[in-house]
Amino acid sequence: RKEVEQDPGPFNVPEGATVAFNCTYSNSASQSFFWYRQDCRKEPKLLMSVYSSGNEDGRFTAQLNRASQYISLLIRDSKLSDSATYLCVVNGLSGGSYIPTFGRGTSLIVHP
Amino acid sequence: DGGITQSPKYLFRKEGQNVTLSCEQNLNHDAMYWYRQDPGQGLRLIYYSQIVNDFQKGDIAEGYSVSREKKESFPLTVTSAQKNPTAFYLCASSQRGQGDQETQYFGPGTRLLVL
């Protein structure tokens, strides 16, 4: 069983649409959670942390449900520039260090 | 500018050859990591180092070796024992002591191709 699972997509949406991605994790001892964005043939870049109370950064909203072990990312008013792969990352404590586990990513294509 | 650099951007390996990928950071981060990414796959952890002169195997360490002689440098050697080395290799670093909010910053990556 994969530790962090994401729907690979692609999600193909028009500009202005609202789109949501989910990510499930299997390790209930996971400590912290993040969303990264990865453009084609580039390195991943941190998009936002995910807090238990939910958090928002402009058009992006992240939610965490520890009981059901999933996190979500909501993008409102999609832009062409939002087209990318979104990686779910879960940090778990191992030997005194926080070691991240990455999902395979969800591909988003925003079209005119 | 502070950041992480990786070189070369593209690397070609012949059968039976060892190659070394460079990773340097000037962020003064304690921890450094090496990942491998295959098409359609997530990042898989090869090795990581939390402190100078110490490193740990990740999930797919076989066929790879690392060293951490300096805080700013964490080179990865892909040995001839790695039978399927073609992939995108990403180096990352993070600052310890931030608790569970420790986040990683990535270099631009090296694409390794086998001839």
Side-chain angles (χ1 to χ4, degrees):
Chain A
R1 181 181 175 187
K2 298 196 187 305
E3 292 187 44
V4 178
E5 293 205 54
Q6 296 182 249
D7 181 346
F11 285 66
N12 201 321
V13 303
E15 272 187 289
T18 296
V19 61
F21 308 137
N22 284 336
C23 166
T24 59
Y25 60 95
S26 58
N27 184 355
S28 60
S30 298
Q31 302 288 328
S32 53
F33 310 86
F34 307 89
W35 284 101
Y36 278 71
R37 170 192 170 129
Q38 186 174 25
D39 292 289
C40 188
R41 303 180 72 81
K42 299 286 188 181
E43 74 273 23
K45 293 185 179 179
L46 179 66
L47 180 65
M48 58 196 305
S49 301
V50 186
Y51 302 118
S52 297
S53 55
N55 49 298
E56 189 174 304
D57 182 1
R59 298 181 292 108
F60 298 83
T61 300
Q63 298 274 357
L64 167 63
N65 186 320
R66 284 190 184 270
S68 300
Q69 294 183 204
Y70 77 83
I71 69 174
S72 64
L73 177 67
L74 181 77
I75 305 176
R76 290 181 300 278
D77 189 23
S78 299
K79 311 292 184 189
L80 295 177
S81 58
D82 292 334
S83 298
T85 297
Y86 292 83
L87 304 174
C88 170
V89 183
V90 175
N91 270 8
L93 197 56
S94 174
S97 301
Y98 287 94
I99 303 301
T101 300
F102 286 76
R104 292 188 174 191
T106 297
S107 176
L108 172 65
I109 301 170
V110 182
H111 59 81
Chain B
D1 284 286
I4 304 173
T5 58
Q6 289 186 243
S7 61
K9 187 172 182 179
Y10 295 96
L11 184 60
F12 299 93
R13 192 191 96 164
K14 295 180 182 178
E15 290 283 339
Q17 187 181 40
N18 292 356
V19 292
T20 297
L21 284 60
S22 169
C23 177
E24 305 278 332
Q25 54 99 359
N26 61 3
L27 300 167
N28 201 33
H29 284 173
D30 294 310
M32 296 186 75
Y33 308 78
W34 273 106
Y35 293 91
R36 167 182 174 140
Q37 188 175 34
D38 294 279
Q41 304 284 325
L43 277 66
R44 291 187 288 168
L45 184 62
I46 304 172
Y47 269 98
Y48 64 99
S49 168
Q50 299 290 321
I51 196 169
V52 174
N53 292 322
D54 187 46
F55 48 82
Q56 307 294 329
K57 291 183 179 180
D59 300 319
I60 55 165
E62 186 174 349
Y64 300 97
S65 66
V66 293
S67 62
R68 186 88 187 276
E69 298 176 2
K70 298 186 294 182
K71 187 176 185 179
E72 59 270 23
S73 179
F74 191 41
L76 173 75
T77 296
V78 184
T79 74
S80 56
Q82 172 48 244
K83 298 306 178 188
N84 186 22
T86 296
F88 186 36
Y89 290 87
L90 288 157
C91 178
S93 70
S94 64
Q95 182 55 52
R96 300 188 67 192
Q98 299 181 46
D100 63 4
Q101 288 306 303
E102 183 175 330
T103 55
Q104 297 190 328
Y105 297 87
F106 285 85
T110 292
R111 291 194 181 276
L112 176 61
L113 298 169
V114 175
L115 298 177

